[in-house]
Amino acid sequence: MRVSFQWLSQYVDLEGVTPQDLAEALTRSGVEVDEVIDLGEEIENVVIGLVRECKPHPAADKLTLCQVDLGDGEPVQIVCGAKNVQAGQKVPVAKIGAKLPGGIKIKKAKLRGEVSHGMICSASELGIDDRLLSEDQKEGILVLPEDAPLGEDAIAYLGLNDSILELDLTPNRSDCLSMIGVAYEVAAILDRELHLPTIDLQESDQEASAEVEVNVEAKEACPYYVARKVKGVRIGPSPIWLQNRLRAVGIRPINNVVDVTNYVMMEYGQPLHAFDAQQVKGGRIIVRLARQGEKVVTLDDQERSLDESMLTISDPEKVIAVAGVMGAANSEVTSSTRDIILEAAYFDPSRTRRTAVTLDLRSEASLRFEKGVDPERVEEACSRAAQLIAQLAGGTVLKGAAVNKSSAFTRRNILLSINKLNSVLGTQLEANEVEQLFRRLRFQWENVGQKWQVTVPTRRPDLAIEEDLIEEVARLYGYDRIPTTLPQGITTPGSFTPKQRLKRRIKTFLQGAGLDQVVTYSLVDEEESRWGSWFKEQVEPIRLAMPMSKERSFLRTTLIPSLLEVAHYNKNRQQEDIHIFEMGRIYLSQEKELHQLPEEKEVVAGLISGMWQKHDWQQVNEPADFYVVKGLVEGLLHYLGIGPVQFKKIIREHYHPGRTAEVLINGQRLGFIGQLHPLVQKDWELKEVYLFELDLDGLYDHLPAQLTYEPLPKYPGVEQDLAIVVDQEVEAEAVLETIKEAGQPLLKQIALFDVYTGEGIAPGKKSLAFSLLFRHEERTLTDDEVREVRQHILDRLAQKWGAVLR
Amino acid sequence: MEKQLLTLLEEALARTKAAQNMEQLKEIRVAYLGKKGPITESLRQMGTLPPEERPRMGQLANDVRRQIAEAFEQKEKELSAKLLEEQLRRESIDVTLPGRPVRVGVTHPLQAVIEEIEAIFLGMGFTIAEGPEVEADYYNFEALNIPKNHPARDMQDSFYITEEILLRTHTSPVQVRTLEARQGEVPVKIICPGKVFRRDTDDATHSHQFMQIEGLYVDEGIRMSDLKGILLQFAREMFGPDQQIRLRPSFFPFTEPSAEVDISCILCHGEGCRVCKQTGWIEILGSGMVHPKVLERAGYDAERYTGFAFGMGVERIAMLKYGIDDIRHFYTNDSRFLRQFETI
């Protein structure tokens, strides 16, 4: 909403208040002012001139030499380049020394040998927005009305000595969609007098009801309809003051009748519509719902197809307006219009909104109907418009109006107690202070027991409950004056839940290992959502009803493609060594059509690509590989105290069939580690990529119980190496398990430190070397005891895996 | 024999003194003091001397032996000191060569802001609540007093999956879910960080996915002045001890009264600059007293209990705090961007 400071000062005394002060005051009390625009800010020394004489420039076809009277003596010569300049016109003239928007300064100049003492201005040279000009005003110089006062300041004449306050209204403050509404607000904030327009309507003896008949069929959609008739109008341009007002608030002047309806709409917040009475068959207006598929050409020359939910204004034959949204072309006021029917109404807000949305036709009118207009001003606004039309376009206003009102529109009463008010705000306001605020807001009240019964004006439909009134009092009293306190209730401990703590520990470990945390989008493309989940079988992709792009149309079922996207983005920017992790949710559902909320599983996933360790002057390059991610996951699980886990090879789409494993604990899948399939890797234009994804719930379920200290060993252990040869296919984990089992109870530690094939080892075989630590808890081990257990281990390995000592 | 021993002594001392290294010294030692050396030999021959000379000669031989040994020890010390000195000289390195890198990964800046805010509110006795990102229309709107015809409920503005299910547009539904779960218990003191989604085209200042932190405090006797107090404390811990806050009336369907909260500009400290549009204030929070309808719907007696709620955008705070000019950086995860946050 654009508010003209000048216009506003007509209703409320703004003496001593600058537009900036006003903007600040409004913003601080809840009506936010986005911007204050000073219309004529940069303009100086532009006056109204009269073109006395025009003759062609002797040396230039497109230039005219004009003798312009500036009302201060002899006419001066001005060279003008506009085609439309003619003798006898009143025009805005920038005199020598004048300033125009954009830092332009007018100096005495010579154009093709002829002296020019200033410049005749176009509308846009005066900073008037193109959209607010008629077609002929967009071209050439701005021609002013003949009665424009010669020699006077053109800026004042054009209403450009005004400031505009651009309001950013919250949805509840539709009352401020009008000048009068804003005036109420300003009068309350500044505690000043309010001067509302007085209606002085001269009606003829002829009864309107004899010529206009209103029949409201859809009473719920239109509880209130008023029509007046004005006969014998002469359509023409509006006077300059009206045009200025409309332009100031961002509306393009059209003709005197239409301009008046727009003016009153801006003044009262009540949209009005003028029909050409001759086009309304029999003067009979029927307010009814549209028939399915009914067609109408609206004022913007678009054919619209209506449906049964939309309200129309019709005559017996045709639709003449889409109620509250836009009039039809068939009954438009044109230059030949003589008689008009003027409509003011209250249309059901949500129906108006749905219609405007469906037709994609949001207008200043629909915007106001959507919020609910003030029912107490419907008739007043209609009368005001009739009065102004009679004044500006001539014509006679017929007596009375055709009124159809089916709702009482009672004012709301709200009870408020001072105790409640003070206890919600934390203030200590006195009753008379609050009553002062009611008075400034122009709310009526009476005392009912210990409470106030406040009668809320119908212009404030946003006020419905006690708390709404508390806010009214608070915002006018000033939020700044509310004290600053701390809650007085019991103190509570603030702490993480065990699961939140787990997430932080995981993050600490992975960052400690050098992985950067990333955050990515939950929405992915269809192909990525079809990767499925490691944690739930047969999940169905979840699609948005109205995605904004193909890339972001489905919910993800794994974090892996999101991490690939990050790797791809970085690789395209010459960053090929990537170590990242993300903690986030995946969305899993087995329903084809979503009826229940999907399961949101929290997972942690990581991606390593390129070099794990980059070579430097001491170290060689160490490319990422399977065992890097495996080490990360093992390290993480160890850090969390989760185990023992198994890594079991698994074949799955998108992953390298020989280099992918699921991570299991007691047969339950905690996640996976593995290499991205070379073909997928190629699609993403990446180097080898190693990945993991783990289920946070799974990890949580296997967190260890309370940790208890173990006494330190009292006796020394015996360290020994053991190298064996087994078939290539035998998995290291299996051999390790056998050794651990056979080494009980003396074997305390085991580590695999070498895997070897090649010279000295038969083809198809490999050597595995382990370091073992044996220890007895109660005494020092003897050589014989160690020899014995070692032999037992070898026997078991031979038996189980055909292993021989190397 | 005496002469022989003295010559031997002289010779041994001279050779010891002349020894260049440990090897030579060792040779000399073996040569003079070894089992087959001349002194041992002399002592062995002691029997051939007349008995009255034996004590003196024995004394002399031992003397010579001691002197040689002492010289030796002396020389050995000298030589090993020299050796150590050489070793240390050899081991000298270029201390300006770079060390072996140890790198800790970064916390994503959005997470860093969340963790900072969490720490502040945990300190004030709040706990952290979470809720679904894919939400029922009821929790996202209806329960928060946002009526059916509210523009936010338009398919154009929110990511709906079905008519009843959508990606949550704010973290406020967690308020309702938490209240329902607490079944009328008080106090309820939570903050809820999380991802939210709106149908915005991604550009420098808009993102279809972003993060919010919601706060809720419900108890008997909670006042709007308490909201001011808690938020002032938060602003001071988060942005500095001189922070001021300013509340402006506003509108949210789920709070009444409602307020926008400004903090003094963290760049110019209220002087006025480009970031605060010369006002000295920047808006960072929406807040208000929980609407009685929200309390009632969640099973709390609004006559008895009151509460306040607030919500803030994590990206906005991170952008202000670190001077980031493009919200998309948070989601593209360019490592050159992320690694700037190693020190936070």
Side-chain angles (χ1 to χ4, degrees):
Chain A
M1 171 80 186
R2 283 167 67 96
V3 172
S4 151
F5 190 80
Q6 269 198 8
W7 190 353
L8 185 68
S9 62
Q10 202 174 304
Y11 312 115
V12 59
D13 174 19
L14 293 176
E15 185 66 43
V17 181
T18 67
Q20 280 69 23
D21 293 343
L22 181 62
E24 176 71 9
L26 279 166
T27 298
R28 300 305 305 282
S29 55
V31 174
E32 194 173 337
V33 178
D34 250 3
E35 202 183 349
V36 179
I37 306 158
D38 184 346
L39 288 181
E41 191 184 13
E42 297 168 297
I43 310 177
E44 267 175 36
N45 222 357
V46 180
V47 299
I48 299 165
L50 172 64
V51 182
R52 292 271 185 210
E53 203 183 307
C54 282
K55 64 180 183 193
H57 190 291
D61 286 351
K62 291 186 174 163
L63 298 180
T64 311
L65 298 183
C66 311
Q67 294 302 317
V68 185
D69 182 352
L70 299 178
D72 57 357
E74 281 299 296
V76 295
Q77 173 168 291
I78 293 177
V79 181
C80 181
K83 279 186 216 161
N84 64 333
V85 67
Q86 278 175 22
Q89 285 171 338
K90 290 265 180 70
V91 289
V93 178
K95 292 164 78 166
I96 289 174
K99 288 180 186 163
L100 294 177
I104 296 167
K105 282 182 190 152
I106 301 300
K107 293 176 195 144
K108 186 168 159 184
K110 258 191 179 175
L111 286 119
R112 296 284 190 102
E114 291 292 338
V115 177
S116 185
H117 295 267
M119 182 173 95
I120 304 178
C121 301
S122 69
S124 65
E125 279 160 347
L126 295 174
I128 301 174
D129 191 334
D130 245 22
R131 284 167 302 180
L132 303 176
L133 300 171
S134 62
E135 285 311 313
D136 54 313
Q137 285 171 328
K138 285 182 197 169
E139 300 288 327
I141 53 166
L142 180 63
V143 181
L144 303 176
E146 284 171 21
D147 60 0
L150 186 66
E152 298 280 298
D153 180 11
I155 295 317
Y157 180 76
L158 288 168
L160 297 177
N161 54 348
D162 194 6
S163 287
I164 304 302
L165 278 66
E166 186 82 66
L167 306 187
D168 182 11
L169 293 173
T170 51
N172 58 326
R173 294 305 305 272
S174 58
D175 59 299
C176 288
L177 285 170
S178 70
M179 296 303 299
I180 289 177
V182 175
Y184 270 104
E185 177 74 13
V186 170
I189 298 169
L190 302 180
D191 195 9
R192 294 204 175 179
E193 288 294 308
L194 192 63
H195 312 283
L196 297 183
T198 45
I199 309 247
D200 174 24
L201 185 60
Q202 309 288 323
E203 292 176 317
S204 74
D205 294 340
Q206 213 176 339
E207 292 278 348
S209 54
E211 298 199 16
V212 183
E213 181 194 330
V214 175
N215 184 6
V216 179
E217 287 179 5
K219 291 200 179 345
E220 213 171 293
C222 176
Y224 197 0
Y225 194 96
V226 177
R228 277 190 172 273
K229 189 162 182 181
V230 186
K231 288 175 93 169
V233 297
R234 286 179 307 280
I235 306 297
S238 300
I240 193 79
W241 68 264
L242 178 51
Q243 294 195 27
N244 291 345
R245 287 264 187 273
L246 290 180
R247 283 200 199 99
V249 298
I251 293 177
R252 180 163 59 91
I254 294 171
N255 61 46
N256 45 14
V257 170
V258 174
D259 290 354
V260 165
T261 61
N262 282 331
Y263 179 83
V264 176
M265 171 173 74
M266 295 314 290
E267 188 176 42
Y268 280 82
Q270 170 66 53
L272 297 141
H273 187 67
F275 297 99
D276 184 331
Q278 271 185 310
Q279 307 308 320
V280 179
K281 181 83 174 174
R284 286 177 59 201
I285 287 175
I286 302 155
V287 184
R288 62 163 171 88
L289 294 177
R291 289 183 277 272
Q292 193 66 34
E294 197 166 3
K295 300 277 193 293
V296 60
V297 176
T298 41
L299 284 173
D300 54 2
D301 286 327
Q302 300 285 308
E303 188 181 70
R304 311 278 175 179
S305 181
L306 308 180
D307 67 43
E308 285 168 330
S309 75
M310 299 173 180
L311 186 69
T312 70
I313 312 301
S314 298
D315 71 7
E317 287 176 348
K318 60 188 181 292
V319 173
I320 55 173
V322 181
V325 179
M326 198 178 263
N330 57 24
S331 50
E332 187 179 2
V333 172
T334 66
S335 54
S336 55
T337 298
R338 285 287 160 262
D339 303 340
I340 57 166
I341 294 174
L342 204 53
E343 164 200 286
Y346 181 99
F347 296 121
D348 174 51
S350 54
R351 186 183 299 270
T352 311
R353 177 170 183 276
R354 278 198 307 274
T355 303
V357 168
T358 311
L359 295 179
D360 193 16
L361 199 63
R362 309 296 281 273
S363 60
E364 290 283 346
S366 72
L367 177 69
R368 286 166 177 78
F369 284 121
E370 279 171 26
K371 303 285 185 187
V373 296
D374 180 359
E376 290 185 7
R377 297 208 188 269
V378 174
E379 281 180 67
E380 190 181 332
C382 196
S383 303
R384 170 83 169 150
Q387 171 203 330
L388 285 172
I389 286 170
Q391 270 171 25
L392 304 178
T396 339
V397 181
L398 300 199
K399 191 172 179 186
V403 177
N404 208 312
K405 188 176 180 184
S406 58
S407 167
F409 293 107
T410 48
R411 293 180 186 177
R412 208 178 256 136
N413 289 318
I414 303 173
L415 287 173
L416 172 66
S417 78
I418 188 144
N419 289 341
K420 170 93 178 189
L421 179 100
N422 280 326
S423 72
V424 167
L425 297 177
T427 46
Q428 279 161 351
L429 287 167
E430 301 286 342
N432 61 349
E433 284 179 276
V434 179
E435 286 169 5
Q436 271 303 320
L437 298 173
F438 288 157
R439 187 190 53 73
R440 280 162 61 181
L441 286 160
R442 285 147 178 95
F443 293 171
Q444 291 163 356
W445 74 91
E446 54 185 294
N447 294 313
V448 177
Q450 291 300 303
K451 294 186 173 191
W452 291 292
Q453 179 177 291
V454 179
T455 304
V456 178
T458 49
R459 66 187 156 83
R460 292 296 305 272
D462 57 315
L463 306 179
I465 58 171
E466 199 174 13
E467 282 74 9
D468 296 329
L469 283 182
I470 293 173
E471 182 179 78
E472 282 301 295
V473 169
R475 70 183 189 87
L476 210 58
Y477 175 67
Y479 278 12
D480 281 348
R481 296 167 68 193
I482 295 174
T484 300
T485 59
L486 285 175
Q488 298 180 327
I490 55 164
T491 53
T492 49
S495 61
F496 291 126
T497 62
K499 210 163 163 185
Q500 287 162 354
R501 240 188 326 268
L502 168 68
K503 285 197 273 185
R504 273 152 188 85
R505 272 177 73 77
I506 293 172
K507 188 175 154 272
T508 303
F509 177 85
L510 293 174
Q511 283 178 234
L515 271 60
D516 292 325
Q517 187 186 28
V518 300
V519 177
T520 61
Y521 296 130
S522 296
L523 291 169
V524 295
D525 71 18
E526 176 163 14
E527 197 272 325
E528 288 163 4
S529 83
R530 288 189 185 277
W531 278 43
S533 165
W534 285 95
F535 307 107
K536 194 171 201 150
E537 297 302 315
Q538 283 159 349
V539 294
E540 292 289 335
I542 303 170
R543 186 184 184 276
L544 297 179
M546 280 174 58
M548 296 185 71
S549 70
K550 210 166 100 318
E551 290 69 38
R552 310 267 168 243
S553 50
F554 284 81
L555 283 166
R556 63 184 171 190
T557 54
T558 161
L559 299 188
I560 300 302
S562 304
L563 295 183
L564 292 172
E565 206 172 312
V566 173
H568 175 78
Y569 183 90
N570 277 290
K571 178 157 187 287
N572 285 347
R573 284 153 186 81
Q574 294 93 44
Q575 299 162 97
E576 302 196 335
D577 302 327
I578 299 163
H579 315 145
I580 52 173
F581 78 98
E582 175 165 17
M583 260 188 274
R585 296 186 190 174
I586 55 176
Y587 311 85
L588 310 175
S589 171
Q590 293 171 328
E591 292 184 305
K592 283 210 183 301
E593 292 261 321
L594 213 55
H595 294 289
Q596 284 173 336
L597 298 185
E599 179 188 356
E600 292 184 23
K601 190 173 263 309
E602 282 192 283
V603 294
V604 54
L607 177 153
I608 313 289
S609 186
M611 290 299 151
W612 174 240
Q613 292 281 359
K614 200 134 176 129
H615 80 87
D616 58 22
W617 63 276
Q618 263 193 319
Q619 288 173 289
V620 294
N621 267 335
E622 195 187 308
D625 69 13
F626 179 87
Y627 298 104
V628 168
V629 271
K630 184 170 180 190
L632 278 172
V633 169
E634 284 174 328
L636 173 63
L637 294 173
H638 177 76
Y639 179 68
L640 300 174
I642 294 169
V645 295
Q646 291 86 45
F647 292 86
K648 200 172 137 203
K649 202 177 256 187
I650 188 168
I651 294 181
R652 220 179 137 98
E653 204 188 343
H654 304 107
Y655 299 97
H656 192 305
R659 296 182 177 185
T660 300
E662 55 182 332
V663 186
L664 299 166
I665 186 160
N666 302 333
Q668 184 199 330
R669 186 186 287 164
L670 282 184
F672 89 98
I673 56 173
Q675 184 184 342
L676 188 67
H677 196 286
L679 290 179
V680 185
Q681 176 197 319
K682 210 175 143 203
D683 285 349
W684 282 95
E685 300 164 347
L686 292 169
K687 292 187 175 174
E688 284 182 15
V689 178
Y690 296 90
L691 301 155
F692 70 86
E693 187 171 68
L694 299 169
D695 170 13
L696 284 174
D697 285 328
L699 295 178
Y700 182 73
D701 291 343
H702 292 95
L703 285 179
Q706 176 71 38
L707 182 131
T708 336
Y709 146 90
E710 256 178 49
L712 300 179
K714 290 195 184 75
Y715 298 92
V718 177
E719 264 184 34
Q720 287 210 338
D721 287 353
L722 179 72
I724 56 160
V725 175
V726 290
D727 287 346
Q728 276 282 13
E729 293 73 39
V730 175
E731 289 187 329
E733 172 103 20
V735 174
L736 267 168
E737 285 306 316
T738 306
I739 296 176
K740 278 186 202 164
E741 201 187 289
Q744 290 300 330
L746 298 181
L747 181 63
K748 299 299 179 193
Q749 275 174 29
I750 177 168
L752 176 74
F753 70 88
D754 191 38
V755 180
Y756 176 73
T757 55
E759 206 178 323
I761 302 293
K765 300 277 184 183
K766 65 181 169 190
S767 156
L768 302 173
F770 301 91
S771 78
L772 310 174
L773 173 73
F774 301 103
R775 194 174 56 229
H776 196 287
E777 297 301 341
E778 277 142 23
R779 56 189 160 79
T780 307
L781 279 176
T782 64
D783 289 352
D784 280 348
E785 281 173 308
V786 174
R787 207 173 299 127
E788 198 180 312
V789 62
R790 183 185 165 90
Q791 191 54 49
H792 179 62
I793 291 171
L794 279 170
D795 290 347
R796 290 290 297 153
L797 288 173
Q799 217 176 59
K800 237 179 152 173
W801 308 109
V804 293
L805 191 65
R806 185 180 168 197
Chain B
M1 191 175 200
E2 184 179 349
K3 195 178 169 201
Q4 204 183 340
L5 276 172
L6 290 175
T7 317
L8 205 64
L9 175 62
E10 203 174 314
E11 193 186 295
L13 289 180
R15 282 187 66 189
T16 302
K17 199 175 175 193
Q20 289 299 309
N21 54 41
M22 282 293 191
E23 282 71 33
Q24 281 178 15
L25 195 65
K26 209 169 169 187
E27 267 170 38
I28 297 164
R29 181 185 195 116
V30 174
Y32 290 90
L33 298 179
K35 282 181 183 153
K36 287 171 185 168
I39 294 178
T40 321
E41 189 60 24
S42 303
L43 285 171
R44 209 172 290 147
Q45 287 173 5
M46 216 45 80
T48 63
L49 291 177
E52 66 275 12
E53 281 200 19
R54 278 182 206 165
R56 202 175 59 87
M57 275 307 136
Q59 176 75 33
L60 180 65
N62 276 329
D63 242 24
V64 168
R65 188 193 186 113
R66 186 182 44 80
Q67 281 191 48
I68 296 174
E70 275 173 7
F72 239 93
E73 230 168 81
Q74 178 64 29
K75 187 66 183 179
E76 201 172 17
K77 266 188 194 160
E78 270 172 37
L79 279 178
S80 63
K82 206 171 135 201
L83 263 180
L84 181 65
E85 200 180 307
E86 272 169 26
Q87 183 197 343
L88 294 179
R89 195 177 307 126
R90 231 183 10 257
E91 285 174 356
S92 168
I93 54 166
D94 178 357
V95 296
T96 67
L97 278 168
R100 194 167 297 184
V102 176
R103 191 182 165 270
V104 172
V106 300
T107 295
H108 191 281
L110 294 178
Q111 179 65 24
V113 169
I114 289 174
E115 286 179 8
E116 204 178 337
I117 295 171
E118 282 176 350
I120 294 169
F121 282 101
L122 283 176
M124 294 195 269
F126 286 67
T127 54
I128 301 164
E130 288 156 283
E133 291 166 8
V134 182
E135 189 52 284
D137 188 74
Y138 174 79
Y139 283 104
N140 197 71
F141 295 126
E142 203 79 35
L144 290 163
N145 198 34
I146 303 173
K148 275 271 188 244
N149 64 353
H150 191 278
R153 297 185 71 165
D154 202 304
M155 298 286 273
Q156 292 295 336
D157 297 312
S158 305
F159 285 118
Y160 275 90
I161 294 166
T162 68
E163 277 191 12
E164 294 304 323
I165 298 175
L166 76 161
L167 305 190
R168 68 177 175 196
T169 59
H170 47 184
T171 42
S172 307
V174 187
Q175 282 185 30
V176 182
R177 287 185 175 271
T178 305
L179 287 174
E180 281 184 359
R182 292 289 181 86
Q183 298 188 324
E185 254 178 57
V186 289
V188 177
K189 290 171 73 175
I190 52 160
I191 59 162
C192 346
K195 291 175 182 158
V196 301
F197 305 84
R198 287 185 198 171
R199 235 172 144 273
D200 278 331
T201 304
D202 295 341
D203 62 24
T205 53
H206 295 85
S207 181
H208 74 275
Q209 175 182 319
F210 56 102
M211 300 234 202
Q212 276 189 342
I213 296 185
E214 188 87 4
L216 175 71
Y217 194 148
V218 174
D219 201 350
E220 248 173 290
I222 294 293
R223 304 155 296 180
M224 195 157 169
S225 55
D226 299 331
L227 167 69
K228 281 180 88 170
I230 292 281
L231 292 181
L232 180 65
Q233 195 165 330
F234 162 69
R236 292 191 167 167
E237 286 194 43
M238 185 81 191
F239 300 106
D242 301 327
Q243 266 294 331
Q244 297 296 325
I245 61 166
R246 166 177 106 160
L247 270 65
R248 282 181 289 112
S250 188
F251 172 75
F252 306 104
F254 38 94
T255 51
E256 190 74 32
S258 302
E260 297 274 10
V261 182
D262 300 335
I263 59 166
S264 26
C265 180
I266 56 178
L267 243 78
C268 65
H269 307 286
E271 302 274 310
C273 69
R274 184 188 51 82
V275 169
C276 60
K277 293 182 188 158
Q278 310 305 328
T279 61
W281 296 97
I282 42 180
E283 182 185 320
I284 60 154
L285 269 155
S287 69
M289 301 302 289
V290 181
H291 197 290
K293 280 189 191 160
V294 174
L295 288 172
E296 299 281 353
R297 275 213 187 88
Y300 281 74
D301 177 0
E303 283 299 313
R304 181 165 169 202
Y305 300 112
T306 48
F308 61 75
F310 56 86
M312 59 194 126
V314 178
E315 279 82 353
R316 175 160 169 79
I317 291 173
M319 290 171 90
L320 284 170
K321 195 167 167 150
Y322 303 116
I324 297 165
D325 57 1
D326 192 328
I327 198 171
R328 288 168 294 196
H329 284 316
F330 294 120
Y331 294 96
T332 48
N333 300 288
D334 190 314
S335 55
R336 295 165 301 180
F337 172 76
L338 292 179
R339 289 190 181 182
Q340 294 182 31
F341 298 93
E342 273 179 337
T343 54
I344 59 171

